[in-house]
Amino acid sequence: MYKTSKYTPTDKMSYLICDNYTLLQVMSRFDLSLGFGDKTVQEVCRENGVDCRTFLAVVNFMIEDSDQMEDDVKDISMPSLMNYLKQAHHYFLDFCLPTIRRKLIEAIDCSTENEVAFLILKFFDQYAREVRKHMDYEDMNVFTYVENLMAGRETGGFRISQFARRHDQIDATLTELKNIIIKYYPAKGNNHLLNAVLFDIFSCEQDLASHCRVEDYLFVPAVLRLEKEGK
């Protein structure tokens, strides 16, 4: 049963993970490793040089249904949050999506005669390209803008509202991919591999949606605050 109230600095880190195992992804993106014993969230963050308030802002955002996090925005460390987002990009582009592709190839018949398998790989590769294009734009343009903003350097007239306008979830291609696998890929013998990779695709979709929400409702408001302070 997941916690319904906010986690606090004095909660044990092990409690957070046992209470909600999806927070393992948040931990890894803050460069926090396992093996912390009975230490509290505050102790683990301090020992690893992680801003505790930013860590808790993200994990509490993950467990709440609301998209309003205004009270937490003022306490967020922008360098810490951007490092978290960059680590998430690295996870999706260099680990999650390549791993799913390898599992797909193992699970389906990729012979030239199998048109459905060809379509599955085609849609997956298209989806992976769209995710990479989106995240590369953020890495090269949005994060650079925020770093310049924090340093008081010239920002070239860019505003975070431009990012917010173009920031939509890349889900149409993934929906097509799931539909092809579920509706049209013929069952052949043992389906454990295909079901397992389909499960991974659903999990990846949820993780990406959560990542986009953090950007929309924590990152963007925090940058807007920086923009107002810099006027």
Side-chain angles (χ1 to χ4, degrees), residues 30 37 186:
F30 275 103

Side-chain angles (χ1 to χ4, degrees), residues 19-152:
D19 188 52
N20 188 339
Y21 65 88
T22 62
L23 297 180
L24 280 168
Q25 294 288 15
V26 179
M27 277 192 57
S28 66
R29 292 166 195 174
F30 275 103
D31 294 322
L32 297 174
S33 302
L34 299 174
F36 34 71
D38 287 327
K39 293 174 184 175
T40 65
V41 172
Q42 191 170 40
E43 289 171 333
V44 174
C45 287
R46 183 171 58 244
E47 290 179 5
N48 289 273
V50 172
D51 185 80
C52 185
R53 292 175 300 180
T54 305
F55 174 78
L56 285 173
V58 173
V59 298
N60 284 320
F61 181 74
M62 297 294 193
I63 66 168
E64 293 185 343
D65 293 330
S66 174
D67 289 333
Q68 303 299 320
M69 297 291 289
E70 293 178 1
D71 291 341
D72 292 297
V73 167
K74 67 180 184 299
D75 294 327
I76 282 176
S77 161
M78 186 58 72
S80 188
L81 182 59
M82 281 206 299
N83 182 66
Y84 165 82
L85 296 174
K86 289 176 182 178
Q87 290 291 341
H89 289 183
H90 172 70
Y91 167 78
F92 287 118
L93 297 178
D94 300 328
F95 177 76
C96 181
L97 293 174
T99 299
I100 290 176
R101 193 181 195 278
R102 287 194 297 270
K103 288 184 177 181
L104 266 178
I105 292 173
E106 186 179 2
I108 61 180
D109 175 14
C110 292
S111 64
T112 54
E113 295 81 14
N114 193 329
E115 293 183 2
V116 177
F118 173 77
L119 277 177
I120 288 172
L121 279 180
K122 178 183 176 182
F123 273 97
F124 180 80
D125 287 343
Q126 181 181 339
Y127 175 70
R129 283 194 298 270
E130 291 174 1
V131 172
R132 179 170 292 279
K133 180 181 178 182
H134 179 82
M135 292 184 173
D136 283 349
Y137 170 82
E138 293 177 7
D139 288 339
M140 291 184 289
N141 295 280
V142 181
F143 295 155
T144 300
Y145 162 71
V146 177
E147 287 164 356
N148 288 335
L149 186 66
M150 289 189 295

Side-chain angles (χ1 to χ4, degrees), residues 149-174:
L149 186 66
M150 289 189 295
R153 294 190 292 263
E154 175 59 41
T155 58
F158 182 89
R159 289 293 179 269
I160 198 63
S161 57
Q162 296 171 237
F163 165 70
R165 284 197 297 269
R166 61 170 285 155
H167 191 213
D168 52 354
Q169 294 179 16
I170 312 164
D171 55 6
T173 304
L174 194 63

